[in-house]
Amino acid sequence: MTEPLLGIVSPVFTVNGELAGSLARDCVRLEVAEGCEGLRTLQAHFIAVGPGATGPPSKMLYLDGQSVDFGKSIEVSLGPSTAQRTVFDGTISGLEAVYPDSEPPRVVVYAEDALMRLRMTRRMRTYRNVTDADIAEQIATEHGLQTDIAAEGPRYDVVQQVNQSDLAFLRERGRLLQAEVWCTGRKLHFTLRTRRQGTALTLVQGNELLSVRLRADLAHQRSEVVVTGYDASTRAVINESAGVDVVEGEAARGLTGPRVLEKALGASVSLRVRETALNADEARAWAKAEMLRRGRSFVTAVGTTRGSPDMVVGSNLSLQSVGPPFDGTGYYVTWVHHIFEHEHGLRTRFEAERATVNEAS
């Protein structure tokens, strides 16, 4: 018995812990998106007419607060029944009624994951004698979240949160160390990329990989990053740097962006002036993080697959049949957008990056 070339499997919705079969029946479009800075979002479109619709004046489903409503938890799984994966777990935050011309009306449900509460909480406060991990732990506790924190960094005498949401502030602290922020259920993760556990997928151009655009670009590569400051306690100038070895320490194979830059255009140094370090530990950590940020994004890939519910931010990709400089492993997914449409089934759009190109044979 042969298998069909294309199977369209509707999303599975669970609302407040109960399976919602009608949502799967009426879903005509679903979008779930997430990036490295966290806050996974959902947008689901449902045909809002049919059996059980209430009225008059408008006979509409899903507007009576029974199936979906503000504050209800919603979970969505994608994929065939033998390999379903939960792609969203969050809280409904928006409802929209759409009455298009010559088409049946729709109800659109919007939801965000547990980071929504951090996004909606704005503060002005001062933290003393803390690390960034300490800050993440405190913010998570205040929002009733469990934690998975793995982000070593310097200890600061004073850190100020000035008219920022908790999410924006946590993202800023993560940027300084190149730590990533995300939630799974009720657990907050604040973790260095090297500690993030993602799925591994192989995508072949012309098969699972429907389209892809790859670029190796020297525009933002640097051979060295320097961070300066002044240490008042020792009355000494701070001058710390990170070089090619930081990027090459992560790269398994190939030529890194800084190395290609030196060969093609010569050495180029970036002086960080956005933040002022108050001690050498801060300067070293920030210089390393900035060098990694630049080096990791030397090669970028933007693609679309036939539908990859296993793909998440942090997945490690092997791209095949995409050209000698770009073939192979080492791609880190930085953005995922799952799109289900009733007519076309599931598609997954993604962005990924890699620190190297393959050496010419």
Side-chain angles (χ1 to χ4, degrees):
M1 181 177 178
T2 59
E3 295 183 357
L5 291 176
L6 177 64
I8 297 179
V9 180
S10 296
V12 176
F13 293 87
T14 303
V15 179
N16 272 6
E18 296 184 2
L19 194 64
S22 62
L23 295 182
R25 178 196 66 201
D26 295 333
C27 181
V28 292
R29 183 176 178 85
L30 170 74
E31 299 183 49
V32 175
E34 183 185 19
C36 282
E37 291 189 325
L39 190 61
R40 190 175 303 185
T41 60
L42 173 144
Q43 184 181 135
H45 299 240
F46 303 100
I47 295 294
V49 294
T54 58
S58 298
K59 293 187 177 182
M60 292 281 284
L61 297 169
Y62 307 123
L63 290 179
D64 57 2
Q66 298 301 309
S67 299
V68 293
D69 200 5
F70 298 106
K72 286 190 174 183
S73 65
I74 183 168
E75 182 179 302
V76 182
S77 299
L78 289 173
S81 57
T82 55
Q84 280 187 352
R85 183 181 184 91
T86 299
V87 297
F88 184 83
D89 183 1
T91 303
I92 296 173
S93 57
L95 297 171
E96 180 179 24
V98 181
Y99 299 89
D101 183 23
S102 303
E103 294 182 16
R106 300 182 181 186
V107 166
V108 185
V109 173
Y110 298 88
E112 299 178 0
D113 69 13
L115 290 178
M116 174 173 61
R117 294 303 307 168
L118 277 68
R119 178 181 63 78
M120 298 173 70
T121 304
R122 186 174 294 271
R123 306 178 196 266
M124 294 187 66
R125 66 178 173 186
T126 299
Y127 299 82
R128 298 185 184 278
N129 189 31
V130 292
T131 65
D132 291 306
D134 295 334
I135 292 172
E137 186 76 48
Q138 180 174 334
I139 290 175
T141 299
E142 291 169 347
H143 289 279
L145 301 176
Q146 299 174 337
T147 57
D148 174 24
I149 297 175
E152 299 84 1
R155 180 167 293 276
Y156 307 97
D157 291 336
V158 176
V159 177
Q160 291 185 308
Q161 181 177 353
V162 182
N163 194 28
Q164 292 175 290
S165 71
D166 284 350
L167 180 57
F169 181 61
L170 203 55
R171 285 171 169 174
E172 179 184 296
R173 303 316 303 176
R175 176 183 59 80
L176 291 171
L177 301 179
Q178 283 300 284
E180 297 179 358
V181 180
W182 76 100
C183 262
T184 54
R186 298 292 299 172
K187 180 177 286 188
L188 173 70
H189 303 264
F190 185 81
T191 304
L192 298 178
R193 176 177 296 190
T194 52
R195 303 285 188 86
R196 188 167 188 170
Q197 300 297 316
T199 54
L201 294 86
T202 297
L203 303 176
V204 180
Q205 168 61 21
N207 191 355
E208 304 93 348
L209 192 56
L210 296 177
S211 66
V212 67
R213 185 175 75 247
L214 300 114
R215 175 190 294 178
D217 195 342
L218 294 175
H220 300 289
Q221 297 303 299
R222 298 293 183 269
S223 52
E224 186 180 23
V225 170
V226 178
V227 174
T228 62
Y230 183 76
D231 189 331
S233 64
T234 62
R235 298 183 180 180
V237 172
I238 299 167
N239 191 306
E240 298 290 339
S241 64
V244 181
D245 58 308
V246 169
V247 180
E248 292 185 339
E250 281 193 351
R253 52 192 284 272
L255 294 172
T256 63
R259 193 65 71 188
V260 175
L261 173 72
E262 290 181 340
K263 182 178 179 181
L265 303 176
S268 178
V269 178
S270 176
L271 179 64
R272 291 286 291 172
V273 296
R274 183 172 176 177
E275 296 87 19
T276 301
L278 300 181
N279 60 58
D281 287 344
E282 293 177 12
R284 279 192 294 270
W286 297 351
K288 178 182 178 181
E290 176 62 10
M291 192 67 189
L292 286 174
R293 183 189 69 82
R294 291 176 178 273
R296 287 168 172 169
S297 61
F298 174 41
V299 177
T300 56
V302 180
T304 302
T305 77
R306 293 184 183 276
S308 305
D310 284 341
M311 188 183 297
V312 296
V313 174
S315 286
N316 294 287
L317 303 183
S318 174
L319 302 184
Q320 304 297 324
S321 301
V322 293
F326 304 113
D327 263 333
T329 60
Y331 289 92
Y332 185 91
V333 176
T334 59
W335 179 80
V336 174
H337 188 188
H338 297 295
I339 304 174
F340 170 85
E341 294 176 305
H342 192 264
E343 314 94 278
H344 307 297
L346 179 63
R347 294 288 186 269
T348 299
R349 297 174 182 169
F350 69 91
E351 295 178 6
E353 59 187 27
R354 189 172 80 168
T356 62
V357 291
N358 299 328
E359 297 186 61
S361 56

